[in-house]
Amino acid sequence: MSHNFKMVATTMFGLEEVLATELKNLGAQDVAVGVRNVSFVGDKGFMYKANIALRTAIRILKPIKRFKVFDEDDLYKKIQQIEWERFMTVESTFAIGAVVNSKNFTTNSHYISLKSKDAIADYFRHKYHKRPDVDVKHPDLKIHVHIQKDLCSISLDSSGDSLHKRGYRNLTNIAPINEVLAAGLVLLSGYTGDCNFIDPMCGSGTILIEAAMIANNIPANINRKEFGFENWDDYDEDLYFKVQDSLLKKIRSSHFKIMGFDKAPSAVKKAKENIENANLSEFIGVHHINFFNSAKEVFGKTTILFNPPYGERLEIDINEFYKKIGDTLKHGYPDSTVWFITSNKEAIKHVGLRTSRRIPLKNGDLDCVYVRYDIYEGSKKAKKLIKNKEESEETDS
């Protein structure tokens, strides 16, 4: 019987609660929200499940040691006290990732990685007169060092490559949105596949793909070639396929439309190829359309979600651009819930619509806000006039 242990799923700023909900829905125990991470408890099978299914996790870490640390030499000494044979051999390749947030350390995280690497290599050299090799690209074991104030956590990285690398995106545009952030935006919007979905500035199709996977309950990382835990000594292939099969059995079919537009033919081509790589062509339609010349062509409630240019890299009149977004939505997209993310807080004022929600997020290093607008079927004023007219007619009769 597999025993339970603590794990930590890392994520992006602002997506912690979304990730915690995902973990609870998957069946995690003792879920606790941190800053850019969520800790939880589960067994080996659950670790596999978390890697395959979680949409807003970047890595799933398995902590192996926690200790107080005062400087670089103290870190070196304490890493050498870990019994590394439990996790690797002298023939194994390894790599180190480090995050440091402490006044005790004046050096950067790259130096901490090197110091930790030396400690592990020297541990084996002293004991076996041979050092294991470092392989940054395809290590057998990826080790994560996290220092917060005077506390250091050493973890094994069960994911290997970051989980945003889903395996479906070969082609991107100038500023592609990270897959984890795209999934987070869809989940924050409340979209579950129960209405139409439009990304009117779809670029290479990432938001559309993540939305279609959510709508059909397809595991986020089902297209991944490999996870870090597959190189671990205790990897259980039968268990892995059992977990994968149980997740695949939960796939459902959403019958609502998922559509993307882009005014650039090259973006439409890239989006279609990425959608095909994700095996989602039957669920998503992408069209060469300039959003500003468009109107809603689907009936009923619709979620509109997009990542418009922020004006960071593109030469456009950003205030005019955002005004046109507002005008197009107002006049062409009734009965829609609209969400978009931007770092340009000044430009939002030009949209000319009242936000019903504002959520702070980060897109890379940029401080962003994720805004929601509710576009009614006709204006509120017109609705009120119709209602008053109907009421007066009822009174007259």
Side-chain angles (χ1 to χ4, degrees), residues 16 32 52 62 87 101 146-147 176 184 204 218 231 256 289 300 310 312 329 332 337 345 360 368 373 378 386:
E16 297 93 343
I52 302 166
K62 180 182 181 180
F87 312 108
N101 187 6
H146 185 269
I147 300 171
S204 55
I218 297 165
N231 296 312
F256 288 93
I289 293 171
Y310 306 164
E312 298 281 332
L329 291 170
T337 304
K345 291 166 189 149
C368 292
Y373 301 100
I386 291 163

Side-chain angles (χ1 to χ4, degrees), residues 22 25 36 68 85 98 101 122-123 129 131 146 192 215 251 262 295 348-349 363-364:
E22 277 200 88
N25 290 342
R36 295 188 181 174
K68 284 203 164 189
E85 299 94 334
N101 187 6
D122 291 348
Y123 173 92
H129 311 294
R131 293 167 64 119
H146 185 269
T192 57
I251 291 175
D262 207 283
I348 296 176
K349 295 172 187 171
N363 185 357

Side-chain angles (χ1 to χ4, degrees), residues 76 96 98 108-120:
Y76 176 90
I96 307 258
N108 61 20
S109 55
H110 179 64
Y111 181 78
I112 297 301
S113 295
L114 291 175
K115 196 80 177 165
S116 306
K117 175 199 69 124
D118 287 345
I120 295 169

Side-chain angles (χ1 to χ4, degrees), residues 343-380:
S343 67
N344 199 319
K345 291 166 189 149
E346 193 53 42
I348 296 176
K349 295 172 187 171
H350 296 267
V351 173
L353 293 165
R354 184 176 291 169
T355 56
S356 58
R357 270 194 84 186
R358 295 169 77 96
I359 301 169
L361 292 172
K362 270 191 175 291
N363 185 357
D365 295 331
L366 298 173
D367 287 319
C368 292
V369 63
Y370 188 38
V371 291
R372 169 178 164 161
Y373 301 100
D374 297 301
I375 317 289
Y376 296 94
E377 184 75 70
S379 72
K380 277 185 169 177

Side-chain angles (χ1 to χ4, degrees), residues 208-339:
L208 293 170
I209 292 169
E210 294 297 327
M213 292 179 101
I214 287 165
N216 296 286
N217 205 32
I218 297 165
N221 287 302
I222 205 68
N223 296 300
R224 280 264 293 214
K225 298 282 184 286
E226 190 182 41
F227 296 100
F229 59 72
E230 292 179 56
N231 296 312
W232 292 8
D233 288 346
D234 67 349
Y235 173 54
D236 184 336
E237 192 175 56
D238 290 343
L239 178 62
Y240 173 76
F241 284 117
K242 203 170 158 185
V243 168
Q244 191 186 62
D245 286 347
S246 76
L247 288 166
L248 291 174
K249 279 179 187 147
K250 290 177 181 155
I251 291 175
R252 56 175 184 247
S253 277
S254 167
H255 302 293
F256 288 93
K257 283 192 163 36
I258 298 175
M259 288 178 292
F261 313 150
D262 207 283
K263 67 173 189 178
S266 59
V268 171
K269 186 171 180 284
K270 285 173 190 171
K272 283 182 172 173
E273 286 186 36
N274 289 334
I275 289 162
E276 201 172 311
N277 289 341
N279 303 308
L280 293 169
S281 300
E282 64 180 294
F283 301 111
I284 306 168
V286 182
H287 311 281
H288 177 213
I289 293 171
N290 183 338
F291 170 60
F292 297 139
N293 303 330
S294 75
K296 184 178 169 186
E297 291 181 4
V298 287
F299 292 109
K301 204 156 174 45
T302 301
T303 294
I304 298 173
L305 197 163
F306 60 117
N307 176 34
Y310 306 164
E312 298 281 332
R313 309 184 191 187
L314 298 165
E315 292 299 313
I316 53 173
D317 180 338
I318 200 74
N319 293 343
E320 177 59 26
F321 187 85
Y322 276 59
K323 182 185 178 298
K324 280 167 80 178
I325 287 176
D327 291 346
T328 308
L329 291 170
K330 249 184 299 198
H331 302 304
Y333 286 86
D335 198 15
S336 298
T337 304
V338 181
W339 292 84

